Amino acid sequence: MGGRMLILCWLVLLISVDDAAAAEVPRVLNIWPMPASVNYGDGRLHFSPELQLKTEGSRFDDGSGILEDAFSRTVDIIRGSHAVENNLPKIESSLALKGIHVVIASPSDELQHGINESYSLQVPAKGSPLYAHIEAETVYGALHALQTFSQLCHFDIKSRGILVHHVPLTIVDQPRFPYRGVLIDTSRHYQPLPMIKKVIDSMAYAKLNVLHWHIVDTQSFPLEIPSFPRLWDGAYSVSERYTFADAAEVVSYAKKRGINVLAEIDVPGHAQSWGVGYPSLWPSEDCKEPLDVSNEFTFKLIDGILSDFSKIFKYKFVHLGGDEVNTSCWETTPHVQKWLREKGMTGPEAYQYFVLRAQKIALSRGYEIINWEETFNNFGSKLDRRTIVHNWLGSNVAPAVVKAGLRCIVSNQDKWYLDHLDALWEGFYSNEPLTNISDPAQQALVLGGEVCLWGEHVDASDLEQTLWPRAAAAAERLWTPYAKIARRAEQVRQRLAYFRCLLTQRGVAAAPLVGFGRSAPVEPNSCYLQ
């Protein structure tokens, strides 16, 4: 009982103020991730009932509707937590925000790695007519600005309208790293298309910008490949499959939210499901992975997959896996053993041959390659110089990768693996991608990082609470300038709890901060104290 009384007193302290007006204004600037530069006041504005989008002066004509759709979504999520009431008192025009004026410098809506995602956001305290102002180099910077703006707005229980707090306000912002990813795994458990879209929506709220889609693995091959249609015979069932059009829809949906889709096929290991439709890919009935290195059809099929990928997955990178390869069955399968002797290769040398040949195929299809760190650990100097090494095992791998002149993505499993339910949000927040990398030229080779949601124990029933709010802790590490990152994770607990509650209000099943990943609430309490 004493603990409950302490929490109750804390809650009373948070909302007790000297006058009613002050009680309606959040005491803290609750934006997540924290912008690079913020200046704000203590005023507030009401929304006009007919909030407008203005684009005069912009070079971007929005022919694809990306900006207009994002503006409509922003207004919907701001208004979405309460019913709209009629016959409310009118707000004085000088205190009502009429709309948002967006000026975009680039006419292009191309989404690619390294695009300019910076923006500025200004909300004046008064004027007639009164508009918020967004300036961005690209439409995707403007989308981030709209996400930030949405977090400044709150439903006012007195007027039954929407208030914008902390005006006048000026924000100048840009991401720290160009690659800020989330991995989802649709092989260990199938994720329905609506759930993948929900993940994309929630990623945009936290300014994450790469959906790493680990599509296939040992257990299942759910994606249609038109060039080799029997591959998806390896799906769990006929209803647990993605058509090629489904994959194109994921890419299109993500682009409208400023998110690239990184497709992964993991070779030569983690590929047993491939042989359900094409058994010749298995070295033998007793040895079903790695894929048969001695069979030319193996590489013809990989080329067909990547050719089909190139029609819909327009991100410049493709992930070719390359991890956890055990070559012992190659060395004991008679026809592969014979091939190894003819080529003068050992099993490990054939592993290198396979990875490098797959890289060449991907390069011929216009992709740059990402491989898991085992490829670097085993034969790093032989990798194509355009390779990005995906660090997941060793804490000292990233410094070695960039010292060798290769690019790196950090996902060290002790901190940024979401399927590790004992990995707490504090560890996600404190994990620094540039640890032990002090040379600025080498730091620039770290593209960013990614939190990984492997699917052995994750399906549509528990994906969101496994992902959030821990992914948000990593999102601020990847977005906010290092100088603005809190030295102790506990310093941001209140703001992260606020963001977690915002996610739940938007229909995202984000777990409480307390306890391990996807823990249930401990007891009855305010959302902001869980």
Side-chain angles (χ1 to χ4, degrees), residues 475-517:
E476 179 154 296
R477 173 67 61 169
L478 292 167
W479 178 277
T480 303
Y482 181 77
K484 286 211 163 193
I485 291 288
R487 300 285 81 89
R488 292 185 300 106
E490 279 299 315
Q491 294 172 312
V492 303
R493 173 182 281 274
Q494 180 182 342
R495 188 161 50 83
L496 181 56
Y498 189 94
F499 182 71
R500 178 255 167 177
C501 292
L502 184 70
L503 289 175
T504 64
Q505 291 161 10
R506 294 179 179 183
V508 179
L513 269 65
V514 297
F516 293 144

Side-chain angles (χ1 to χ4, degrees), residues 21-128:
E24 297 165 359
V25 181
R27 291 180 175 278
V28 179
L29 187 68
N30 284 311
I31 296 177
W32 196 280
M34 183 57 72
S37 172
V38 185
N39 291 287
Y40 61 96
D42 58 4
R44 59 186 186 172
L45 297 169
H46 278 88
F47 263 40
S48 167
E50 301 296 334
L51 200 68
Q52 300 174 354
L53 172 66
K54 270 179 50 175
T55 58
E56 286 85 350
S58 181
R59 294 185 63 200
F60 183 72
D61 66 6
D62 200 27
S64 58
I66 290 178
L67 180 60
E68 184 176 352
D69 287 351
F71 177 76
S72 296
R73 289 195 307 273
T74 301
V75 174
D76 287 344
I77 62 174
I78 290 171
R79 290 175 172 163
S81 61
H82 289 277
V84 177
E85 299 184 32
N86 298 320
N87 303 318
L88 294 176
K90 292 186 177 180
I91 307 299
E92 184 182 338
S93 61
S94 62
L95 298 177
L97 190 70
K98 188 173 180 63
I100 303 176
H101 184 194
V102 180
V103 177
I104 299 170
S106 172
S108 174
D109 68 355
E110 180 183 6
L111 179 64
Q112 196 47 266
H113 174 77
I115 62 162
N116 190 320
E117 298 177 84
S118 65
Y119 69 89
S120 66
L121 168 65
Q122 292 183 308
V123 185
K126 56 185 178 179
S128 184

